[in-house]
């Protein structure tokens, strides 16, 4: 955008039209407690596969509806029960391998962190790069999945802010916004960073999001504030 004011108008329009985290879309009430943090980890694992984000979100929701919301329940479920939940969420392409991976990941989280991912944060001593490394020790979670988890959790683990991963930066560029995290952070209220980052990802994945934002900015005529 040509000016900071226009960039703020664009950021506001993005939040107004597509301001929702993926965790919220999957029905996760994110809090700094073990269960929702584990649910976010599962969602990050599903979202990091080469499959549509909407399918990953539906699959996560189906797993949680099947009461697989904790590492213990995920581990104790049979392989077929996990597959059935994934299929219910239309996650068919990788359902069998993902069922195995989720079981291994649940075992790892229980053994390494006692089922509580806050211990990962403590071990990293609040260092985002170290958290990213530790997350990648979880079976099924690579760099992309680790970035998704950190991007979504930054509203709770505020030492991470602003966490703008490559996909969010791509969305910013599509919208004509700066891709530098610090500059992006100045465009929205601090408590909206996680929502803003998720919305930027939506812009990267779906051209219609960019069109919606441009229409909104055009309709509003720019607030200039």
């Amino acid at each position: 955008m040509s000016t900071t004011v226009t960039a703020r108008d664009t950021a506001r329009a993005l939040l107004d039209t597509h301001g929702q985290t993926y965790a919220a879309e999957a029905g996760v009430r994110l809090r700094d407690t073990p269960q929702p943090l584990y649910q976010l980890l599962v969602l990050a694992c599903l979202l990091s596969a080469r499959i549509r984000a909407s399918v990953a979100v539906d699959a996560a929701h189906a797993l949680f509806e099947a009461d697989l919301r904790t590492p213990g329940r995920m581990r104790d479920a049979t392989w077929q029960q996990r597959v059935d939940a994934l299929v219910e969420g239309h996650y068919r392409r990788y359902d069998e391998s993902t069922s195995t991976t989720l079981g291994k990941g649940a075992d790892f989280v229980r053994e390494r962190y006692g089922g509580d991912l806050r211990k990962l944060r403590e071990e990293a001593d609040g260092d985002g790069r170290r958290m990213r490394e530790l997350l990648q020790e979880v079976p099924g979670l690579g760099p992309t999945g680790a970035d998704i988890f950190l991007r979504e959790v930054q509203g709770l683990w505020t030492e991470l802010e602003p966490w703008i991963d490559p996909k969010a930066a791509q969305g910013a560029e599509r919208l004509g916004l700066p891709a530098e995290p610090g500059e992006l952070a100045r465009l929205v209220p601090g408590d909206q960073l996680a929502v803003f980052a998720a919305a930027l990802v939506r812009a990267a994945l779906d051209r219609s999001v960019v069109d919606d934002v441009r229409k909104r900015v055009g309709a509003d005529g720019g607030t200039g504030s």
Side-chain angles (χ1 to χ4, degrees):
M1 307 311 298
S2 58
T3 68
T4 302
V5 169
T6 305
R8 284 179 177 158
D9 289 338
T10 298
R12 186 179 295 110
L14 178 63
L15 287 175
D16 288 345
T17 55
H18 295 280
Q20 184 182 40
T21 63
Y22 285 95
E25 187 180 352
V28 179
R29 296 182 179 180
L30 199 55
R31 300 184 303 276
D32 195 21
T33 55
Q35 180 171 302
L37 290 174
Y38 174 69
Q39 288 178 274
L40 177 58
L41 187 76
V42 170
L43 176 61
C45 180
L46 298 176
L47 282 168
S48 64
R50 293 183 178 179
I51 198 163
R52 289 198 314 275
S54 60
V55 173
V57 167
D58 287 347
H61 191 267
L63 285 165
F64 305 149
E65 284 295 299
D67 204 27
L68 305 182
R69 302 185 186 97
T70 67
R73 290 170 185 165
M74 187 70 78
R75 181 200 62 182
D76 293 343
T78 67
W79 178 84
Q80 189 61 52
Q81 285 173 325
R82 293 192 294 267
V83 167
D84 289 346
L86 290 166
V87 170
E88 178 69 22
H90 310 293
Y91 202 89
R92 296 188 178 92
R93 184 175 177 185
Y94 303 110
D95 55 345
E96 296 185 357
S97 61
T98 300
S99 175
T100 299
T101 299
L102 288 173
K104 291 179 178 178
D107 269 334
F108 179 87
V109 172
R110 279 180 60 87
E111 292 173 10
R112 182 78 160 78
Y113 300 111
D116 186 350
L117 289 168
R118 293 176 299 182
K119 294 179 181 179
L120 179 149
R121 182 190 189 189
E122 292 171 4
E123 183 173 328
D125 196 25
D127 182 85
R129 286 176 296 182
R130 180 59 179 151
M131 288 187 215
R132 191 172 187 268
E133 292 172 355
L134 291 172
L135 282 166
Q136 290 177 69
E137 294 178 357
V138 179
L141 211 69
T144 298
D147 277 334
I148 292 168
F149 181 92
L150 296 172
R151 186 185 73 222
E152 292 270 317
V153 84
Q154 65 181 308
L156 293 176
W157 297 358
T158 54
E159 67 272 19
L160 294 169
E161 296 177 343
W163 195 274
I164 303 294
D165 62 343
K167 188 60 72 174
Q170 181 185 337
E173 290 174 354
R174 275 195 171 188
L175 289 161
L177 295 172
E180 198 280 318
E183 291 184 52
L184 285 169
R186 287 190 285 272
L187 299 178
V188 298
D191 62 355
Q192 290 292 296
L193 277 172
V195 176
F196 184 45
L200 289 171
V201 171
R202 295 178 192 278
L205 297 176
D206 187 347
R207 177 65 68 177
S208 70
V209 173
V210 178
D211 294 339
D212 289 345
V213 170
R214 288 175 177 165
K215 288 177 184 176
R216 172 61 69 91
V217 172
D220 290 347
T223 62
S225 61

